[in-house]
């Protein structure tokens, strides 16, 4: 009985209730490990994902539709990247994937799946994506890689808003 209660508490502490993905707490613990042991960084790939115009979706169609958009993105991430990366929902419409494998093909697959998923939707879900692989010539820390990916995400978001 005690073990089941502990398992439930652990699950509540580290799982996003809406999507079933890892939550911000789990993400922060992962970052602590990556910050404390630089030897594991050489194979790390990070992908940052943001849903464009979620506020507009919520305002126009209601929060239920916005929640559905978040769930669609989470499902597509699980289907494409999920077996090769840890996926975190770190904020309302912000997701981060961290992997010790090269997941470039899975990232492309995610982007393609999102285009396909949007094909017949009246309310298209548009995502911005920034990704990168740790490179000691460019990055000293995991935070440097995260900044690099965020910059790529912002450029993707700007390109898609034109």
């Amino acid at each position: 009985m005690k073990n089941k209660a502990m398992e439930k508490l652990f699950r509540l502490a580290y799982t996003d209730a809406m999507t079933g993905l890892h939550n911000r707490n789990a993400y922060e613990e992962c970052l602590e490990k990556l910050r404390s042991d630089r030897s594991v960084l050489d194979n790390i790939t990070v992908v940052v994902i943001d849903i464009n115009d979620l506020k507009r979706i919520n305002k126009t169609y209601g929060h239920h539709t916005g929640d559905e958009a978040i769930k669609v993105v989470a499902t597509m991430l699980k289907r494409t990247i999920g077996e090769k990366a840890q996926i975190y929902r770190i904020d309302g419409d912000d997701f981060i994937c961290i992997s010790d494998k090269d997941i470039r093909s899975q990232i492309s697959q995610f982007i393609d799946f999102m285009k396909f998923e949007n094909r017949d939707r009246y309310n298209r879900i548009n995502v911005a994506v920034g990704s990168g692989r740790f490179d000691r010539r460019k990055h000293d820390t995991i935070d440097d890689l995260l900044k690099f990916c965020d910059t790529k995400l912002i450029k993707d978001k700007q390109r898609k808003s034109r």
Side-chain angles (χ1 to χ4, degrees):
M1 182 79 149
K2 201 176 201 180
N3 285 342
K4 288 189 185 232
M6 290 300 290
E7 285 176 26
K8 184 175 182 177
L9 285 174
F10 182 83
R11 196 170 47 256
L12 288 171
Y14 293 102
T15 304
D16 176 63
M18 182 188 302
T19 63
L21 298 174
H22 299 294
N23 65 14
R24 181 74 183 228
N25 292 335
Y27 170 69
E28 292 296 337
E29 282 198 12
C30 175
L31 284 184
E32 280 182 41
K33 290 176 188 171
L34 293 172
R35 287 177 180 135
S36 67
D37 185 3
R38 289 191 64 225
S39 68
V40 299
L41 292 177
D42 288 330
N43 297 315
I44 296 295
T45 299
V46 170
V47 185
V48 292
I49 300 103
D50 179 81
I51 301 174
N52 294 329
D53 298 324
L54 184 65
K55 286 181 185 176
R56 179 194 54 80
I57 293 170
N58 285 334
K59 188 174 181 180
T60 305
Y61 302 103
H63 286 274
H64 176 75
T65 304
D67 289 350
E68 287 304 313
I70 290 168
K71 291 175 188 175
V72 166
V73 171
T75 298
M76 291 300 145
L77 285 169
K78 288 177 200 175
R79 285 184 186 166
T80 56
I81 298 174
E83 290 187 22
K84 293 196 172 196
Q86 296 295 314
I87 307 170
Y88 305 88
R89 178 175 172 223
I90 60 165
D91 202 8
D93 63 344
D94 297 322
F95 301 85
I96 292 186
C97 306
I98 299 176
S99 179
D100 60 357
K101 297 169 180 62
D102 184 354
I103 56 172
R104 284 179 283 197
S105 65
Q106 286 79 14
I107 297 165
S108 295
Q109 187 180 30
F110 167 74
I111 292 167
D112 291 344
F113 271 34
M114 287 306 301
K115 288 176 188 172
F116 181 78
E117 175 67 24
N118 281 324
R119 190 180 49 159
D120 297 326
R121 285 181 170 264
Y122 67 92
N123 182 32
R124 298 191 181 271
I125 303 167
N126 187 357
V127 295
V129 179
S131 64
R133 191 157 170 89
F134 189 83
D135 181 344
R136 289 200 183 272
R137 294 169 295 181
K138 298 177 188 174
H139 315 114
D140 289 325
T141 66
I142 187 65
D143 296 298
D144 293 336
L145 177 57
L146 288 166
K147 286 177 191 170
F148 174 80
C149 293
D150 280 338
T151 300
K152 288 179 77 174
L153 176 125
I154 291 165
K155 288 179 182 176
D156 189 41
K157 188 179 267 297
Q158 290 169 341
R159 183 180 58 80
K160 289 177 178 174
S161 70
R162 291 182 193 155

